[in-house]
Amino acid sequence: MRHFFSYLIPFSILFWSVAIASDYHEQLILKPLPQSTLLASFNFRSNTSLSQFEAHNFRYFPRSLGQVIQHVGTKELHLRFSLGRWDAESWGARPWDGTKEGGTGVELWAWLEAETDEEADRKWLSLTNALSGLFCASLNFIDETRTTRPVMSFQPEGDHPNSTLANMQLLHGVLPREVVCTENLTPFLKLLPCKGKAGISTLLDGHKLFDASWQSMAIDIRPICPEGGECVLQIEQTIDMVLDIERSKRPRGNPIPRPPPGHDMKCNSSKPYHSDDTCFPTDFAEGQEWALDQVFGKSIKGTCPLTDPDVPPICIQVPHVRDIYTTAGSTEFKNPNGFSRCYKIPSDEDFSMMLPQVSQEGEQPATNTHVLVQPDTPLLYAERSFTGHGYERGGVRTILTNPSPNTEVEFVYMESLPWFMRIYLHTLSTHVNGEAVAKNNIIEEIYYRPALDRVRGTQLELRMRIPPASTVFLTYDFEKSILRYTEYPPDANRGFDVAAAVITILPSTSPDAPLARQKTSSLRTTTLLLSLPTPDFSMPYNVIIFTSTVIALAFGGMYNILIRRFVGADEGPENISGLKGKLIGVVSNLVGKLKGGKGKV
């Protein structure tokens, strides 16, 4: 019940087998969430046989990205662009079990075919530089100080032969400071077969995507070898966004929010002081009316002619008791579970859908079960923050909560810290429900790779197990380093971004475990903002100006003494020539004429 597609299982089994056999398919899944928000998940999948890929025959696979992968020798690649924070307490479990999610900024990990670490580093450098130019991102700044080699956190998702696995090396890098914007969306759309001109990709607009409360763009490239079939290289592009319905319906020509009139104000009638002249405004209203062209600002322009016609391009997760109105020509398929439906749309006509408003007042008000499908409970809640004060030392505290009343959670917790955060591993401690316990009872395995100044960062991986209905506090202390003044960014007083922690929830070995526990899922914490001792950057400027002035005065005086020739006034030449002599002669003539005129009078 926790899986994102738990209500689409009958459809997913059919569509997955069709998608493996087909070369390209795309699908949009809409899911209304609490607090008047909407989760939109765009999925694009292209397949090409490995024989055609090795022969440089590109059909649906993007040639620009395929040539980079072939040149570098990449066997599997995962790239993430993320922005915002997923509100797990309100929105429930993450889409795709968190496997399509990355930390804030840009995150990249790949398996490269290399025999030595030096060869892997050279290929990693070529890969990051090529992807930086392809996606208009700062991936070229992922240097050795931001690169790690995870041991327990990531596993290959594709099907690799044993001979290839022996020479595959995993490298991981992250840029938490990177700002994701439209410049990254445009190259993403150019990789699609229809280039955003037809199909569900026509809804993708930078103004709507980057105005979302949370958004993530993912690219996954892996080999897939179905039983009895030829191995294919699969590229899967995914965009997930959580839109605020009220803000998204705001017209583009009037983007400034203004207070609504009194008769349009939504009031919380559950307050005891609610009356005709007293209103406590609500931040959101469940079950409000919205349409696809209102939320995204445009309609779907038919279907992509290259997509698989057997896969419905649009699915929505709402109870069957709620009405949905669509444009003419579409075909509806309802899931027998009563909580989802899919639509096949005309290939050459615009498509839109509308959900009418559901009244939650009156004699027979609609309940939340009639308005939306209740979100699934996450397998794990995670929060991370800094502790302490001052510019010398600090601490990190991570709160991990297992909401299940009868099932323990086993996961791998990984942190990639910058080299100027020198952690004290002996201060690592755990508390369960506020009580101190031995680390061996919670932490089963530790992998620690210390940092080297200006060479590499700190890598910390913990294999942990949390009992049912328990909260674990994971804490440790660290020391802050002092940087050179040339190593500070332009906005040094803002602080330094620390990458999000990666949590990989391992599948359960119990045969009675639910579907969501039988597979690997993951989640990311929020990034942290670290304040370091910041020098007064005006002092170097003052020193430079003062030194330059002293040198100019000293050099100018010494130069004059060495070069200029000094002579006495009586030793100077009698005849003055040049422009100065001519001026003196003209002035003398004028003075003589004036004196001669006065004498005659």
Side-chain angles (χ1 to χ4, degrees):
M1 295 294 292
R2 303 175 190 268
H3 192 258
F4 177 60
F5 289 104
S6 58
Y7 298 105
L8 297 175
I9 290 176
F11 292 99
S12 301
I13 296 176
L14 174 63
F15 297 155
W16 180 262
S17 60
V18 172
I20 290 295
S22 63
D23 291 334
Y24 176 71
H25 99 282
E26 59 184 27
Q27 193 174 59
L28 168 62
I29 300 175
L30 302 172
K31 182 179 180 181
L33 297 176
Q35 298 184 356
S36 186
T37 54
L38 174 67
L39 171 62
S41 297
F42 296 79
N43 182 255
F44 310 91
R45 187 183 294 118
S46 303
N47 297 327
T48 183
S49 63
L50 287 178
S51 58
Q52 293 181 353
F53 180 77
E54 293 174 356
H56 303 275
N57 294 327
F58 301 97
R59 189 182 178 191
Y60 298 129
F61 199 96
R63 177 183 296 272
S64 58
L65 191 56
Q67 291 177 343
V68 172
I69 293 174
Q70 288 179 337
H71 175 72
V72 179
T74 305
K75 297 301 180 181
E76 187 170 327
L77 183 141
H78 303 274
L79 180 62
R80 302 287 184 268
F81 298 89
S82 300
L83 192 64
R85 173 183 173 271
W86 177 268
D87 189 0
E89 295 183 357
S90 302
W91 302 337
R94 288 166 164 80
W96 314 98
D97 291 332
T99 56
K100 309 296 183 184
E101 177 187 355
T104 302
V106 180
E107 185 175 355
L108 171 68
W109 68 96
W111 278 266
L112 305 177
E113 187 176 11
E115 295 181 357
T116 61
D117 293 344
E118 291 76 12
E119 182 182 0
D121 293 336
R122 289 194 302 268
K123 291 186 175 181
W124 176 254
L125 181 62
S126 301
L127 178 63
T128 53
N129 281 275
L131 294 179
S132 176
L134 185 61
F135 291 99
C136 298
S138 303
L139 290 167
N140 56 316
F141 285 95
I142 300 181
D143 53 8
E144 62 274 5
T145 62
R146 296 181 174 90
T147 301
T148 57
R149 299 174 182 267
V151 176
M152 299 183 290
S153 297
F154 298 96
Q155 298 297 328
E157 299 180 6
D159 300 326
H160 302 276
N162 295 330
S163 58
T164 306
L165 286 173
N167 293 329
M168 285 172 47
Q169 296 199 28
L170 170 63
L171 290 94
H172 175 271
V174 60
L175 288 175
R177 191 183 178 87
E178 183 74 7
V179 179
V180 185
C181 60
T182 310
E183 294 179 352
N184 310 122
L185 176 64
T186 302
F188 186 95
L189 294 178
K190 289 183 178 180
L191 299 179
L192 300 175
C194 288
K195 313 293 183 185
K197 305 298 183 181
I200 62 175
S201 60
T202 57
L203 295 178
L204 294 173
D205 180 76
H207 295 87
K208 296 294 182 179
L209 175 61
F210 299 107
D211 189 47
S213 302
W214 174 84
Q215 63 90 11
S216 176
M217 296 190 299
I219 296 178
D220 300 281
I221 300 176
R222 52 183 174 261
I224 303 295
C225 296
E227 296 182 1
E230 184 182 4
C231 293
V232 298
L233 185 64
Q234 183 181 95
I235 176 173
E236 187 173 6
Q237 299 176 241
T238 308
I239 292 182
D240 300 293
M241 66 181 82
V242 176
L243 300 171
D244 184 278
I245 295 178
E246 190 68 28
R247 190 170 70 245
S248 299
K249 290 167 60 177
R250 189 182 305 153
R252 184 177 297 180
N254 186 20
I256 301 176
R258 293 178 174 84
H263 59 275
D264 293 338
M265 186 175 295
K266 302 177 179 63
C267 303
N268 189 352
S269 58
S270 62
K271 298 296 182 180
Y273 48 79
H274 175 73
S275 62
D276 296 337
D277 57 349
T278 305
C279 175
F280 184 84
T282 57
D283 296 334
F284 55 87
E286 303 291 356
Q288 62 174 307
E289 176 184 341
W290 61 270
L292 204 63
D293 54 351
Q294 287 181 330
V295 174
F296 290 96
K298 61 180 75 174
S299 302
I300 299 178
K301 298 185 181 300
T303 59
C304 180
L306 303 176
T307 188
D308 190 348
D310 296 331
V311 179
I314 298 179
C315 293
I316 184 170
Q317 296 185 20
V318 291
H320 286 181
V321 296
R322 188 170 182 181
D323 297 329
I324 296 180
Y325 302 107
T326 62
T327 54
S330 60
T331 305
E332 183 183 63
F333 300 92
K334 288 189 176 181
N335 195 319
N337 60 20
F339 295 102
S340 64
R341 65 192 82 178
C342 296
Y343 294 91
K344 286 187 175 181
I345 64 178
S347 59
D348 54 352
E349 297 180 3
D350 293 353
F351 173 83
S352 182
M353 65 167 56
M354 184 186 72
L355 273 72
Q357 185 176 4
V358 177
S359 177
Q360 294 182 316
E361 299 179 355
E363 298 179 356
Q364 295 180 349
T367 60
N368 289 335
T369 57
H370 296 85
V371 176
L372 51 83
V373 177
Q374 294 302 314
D376 301 325
T377 304
L379 298 176
L380 187 70
Y381 293 100
E383 301 178 13
R384 190 172 66 143
S385 60
F386 279 133
T387 59
H389 57 86
Y391 289 101
E392 184 178 2
R393 293 181 177 86
V396 175
R397 180 180 64 179
T398 305
I399 305 175
L400 305 165
T401 303
N402 179 12
S404 176
N406 51 16
T407 306
E408 64 180 9
V409 177
E410 185 179 5
F411 58 92
V412 177
Y413 178 87
M414 187 187 82
E415 282 192 351
S416 300
L417 303 175
W419 63 266
F420 43 80
M421 281 184 62
R422 303 173 181 174
I423 70 172
Y424 299 127
L425 192 61
H426 70 279
T427 62
L428 182 66
S429 61
T430 56
H431 295 74
V432 178
N433 298 329
E435 299 179 359
V437 296
K439 290 188 295 184
N440 297 334
N441 298 335
I442 301 298
I443 302 176
E444 299 179 348
E445 186 178 354
I446 299 178
Y447 177 82
Y448 171 66
R449 190 186 188 198
L452 296 177
D453 288 355
R454 300 173 179 86
V455 176
R456 72 184 185 199
T458 301
Q459 180 181 346
L460 178 64
E461 292 186 72
L462 308 174
R463 188 185 182 99
M464 305 177 63
R465 187 186 299 269
I466 297 182
S470 301
T471 300
V472 173
F473 296 82
L474 179 69
T475 59
Y476 62 84
D477 298 334
F478 66 90
E479 183 184 21
K480 302 178 182 180
S481 301
I482 299 178
L483 306 181
R484 302 166 182 164
Y485 82 96
T486 56
E487 295 175 339
Y488 285 89
D491 51 347
N493 291 291
R494 173 186 174 271
F496 292 78
D497 294 90
V498 180
V502 181
I503 300 176
T504 305
I505 303 177
L506 304 178
S508 176
T509 57
S510 175
D512 300 332
L515 180 62
R517 297 298 312 277
Q518 297 177 5
K519 58 184 64 177
T520 302
S521 58
S522 62
L523 60 98
R524 265 75 170 172
T525 64
T526 56
T527 58
L528 299 178
L529 195 61
L530 176 66
S531 297
L532 291 180
T534 305
D536 185 1
F537 290 99
S538 64
M539 292 307 297
Y541 174 79
N542 296 336
V543 171
I544 292 173
I545 296 300
F546 178 77
T547 306
S548 301
T549 304
V550 172
I551 292 176
L553 294 175
F555 177 80
M558 185 64 66
Y559 183 81
N560 287 335
I561 293 174
L562 295 176
I563 301 300
R564 182 173 295 180
R565 182 183 176 186
F566 297 92
V567 296
D570 55 344
E571 299 178 1
E574 299 180 356
N575 297 327
I576 301 176
S577 60
L579 180 62
K580 183 177 181 181
K582 294 180 180 180
L583 291 176
I584 294 175
V586 172
V587 172
S588 300
N589 294 332
L590 292 176
V591 172
K593 290 180 179 181
L594 291 174
K595 290 183 177 180
K598 292 180 179 179
K600 292 179 180 181
V601 173

